[in-house]
Amino acid sequence: MRGLSEIRPRVCATVVEGDVAKMVEVAFEAAAKGADLVELRLDMLPTLARRDIELVFRGLAPLSLPKIATVMPASTLGKYAGSEGKRGSLLLDAAVFADYVDLGIEMGEENIERCLSGLDGKKAEPIISWHSETPLSEEEIKGFVDTQPKGTICKAVMRASSQRDNLVALNACAGLEGRRRIVFCYGEKGVLSRVASPLFGSEWTYASVAKGKEGAPGQLDVIAMRSIYEVLGI
């Protein structure tokens, strides 16, 4: 097993601005603060159409960091209120430009399969995500990952109701060696697993660009996250 000093956790900054120009500006700010990737929360844009998506990614063309396109529904920490079929189409539009697209399981199997098929020949890789409002067991997390296509990044995150839930998430993450995964807890009691998840095998963790700009409960900002890793000698 590698020592902590040999690990460089990847931090993805979530950009939640409600304006195309501001989203582009803040993504560059995230890079300057030390982010390794940026997640563009496209659902935050008041009018979300193919043209808006294209404007965001054209503006970000000079930014060398990998970019994740995400459209989160109102039922899952987001603002998108349209149909799941339309959501899939928007993500396929973004897949022309993005490095990753986040396909939430609430989209339904049919829409996810359509998106996976539609990604053939496009730039983006899929992330299949499960955002659970209640704590999950290790068995549930493993079962979710086992049902997804090999090579796909599987993201399983759950709201922590106690500090113990962090241990469940981290143990599950460590037990998924050989699979590309992101596993942690969110909420105020989930900070521990947010910080530690890359040390247990997560592809990356998520942070806000600045305090007050959180994309989900319990997010630390990029600078705070980097400071913690520095103190730990990582």
Side-chain angles (χ1 to χ4, degrees), residues 4 7 9 166 170 173 183-184 190-202 204-205 225 228-229 232 234:
L4 291 182
I7 300 172
N166 290 287
L170 295 175
C173 190
V183 185
F184 61 83
V191 174
L192 173 61
S193 58
R194 276 192 181 275
V195 173
S197 63
L199 311 182
F200 287 75
S202 282
W204 56 75
T205 189
M225 194 76 84
I228 292 171
Y229 292 142
L232 294 174
I234 303 171

Side-chain angles (χ1 to χ4, degrees), residues 11-224:
V11 177
C12 177
T14 301
V15 181
V16 294
E17 302 300 326
D19 173 83
V20 168
K22 189 66 175 176
M23 185 170 280
V24 171
E25 175 188 333
V26 171
F28 279 96
E29 178 186 336
K33 289 182 174 181
D36 299 289
L37 311 88
V38 289
E39 178 188 39
L40 291 314
R41 282 286 303 279
L42 300 172
D43 56 283
M44 296 296 182
L45 298 175
T47 59
L48 179 53
R50 179 181 298 182
R51 179 60 177 162
D52 301 298
I53 292 170
E54 183 175 349
L55 287 172
V56 169
F57 284 98
R58 295 290 185 199
L60 290 175
L63 184 65
S64 60
L65 297 187
K67 304 163 188 73
I68 304 170
T70 301
V71 179
M72 294 284 276
S75 61
T76 313
L77 304 172
K79 290 191 174 183
Y80 178 73
S83 72
E84 294 298 348
K86 178 63 174 177
R87 180 183 172 196
S89 296
L90 291 167
L91 288 167
L92 287 176
D93 290 338
V96 176
F97 309 98
D99 297 279
Y100 304 94
V101 292
D102 191 313
L103 309 175
I105 62 168
E106 66 280 351
M107 294 174 68
E109 287 186 20
E110 184 175 338
N111 282 315
I112 289 178
E113 288 176 5
R114 178 172 70 90
C115 287
L116 291 175
S117 177
L119 288 175
D120 286 344
K122 290 189 170 65
K123 177 182 178 182
E125 292 185 69
I127 301 167
I128 299 181
S129 62
W130 181 13
H131 293 77
S132 175
E133 271 290 318
T134 56
L136 301 170
S137 67
E138 290 184 44
E139 291 75 19
E140 287 174 311
I141 295 170
K142 184 178 185 300
F144 160 67
V145 173
D146 285 346
T147 61
Q148 306 310 320
K150 300 288 186 182
T152 302
I153 297 175
C154 300
K155 178 183 176 186
V157 298
M158 60 183 183
R159 185 183 290 274
S161 62
S162 69
Q163 294 297 333
R164 183 183 178 280
D165 293 326
N166 290 287
L167 299 180
V168 173
L170 295 175
N171 282 334
C173 190
L176 290 167
E177 190 170 352
R179 294 300 303 260
R180 301 178 72 189
R181 74 277 192 190
I182 300 166
V183 185
F184 61 83
C185 297
Y186 64 91
E188 298 307 315
K189 295 179 181 178
V191 174
L192 173 61
S193 58
R194 276 192 181 275
V195 173
S197 63
L199 311 182
F200 287 75
S202 282
E203 295 272 321
W204 56 75
T205 189
Y206 291 80
S208 65
V209 180
K211 291 181 180 179
K213 295 289 186 177
E214 293 81 11
Q219 270 192 349
L220 301 177
D221 64 88
V222 174
I223 290 177

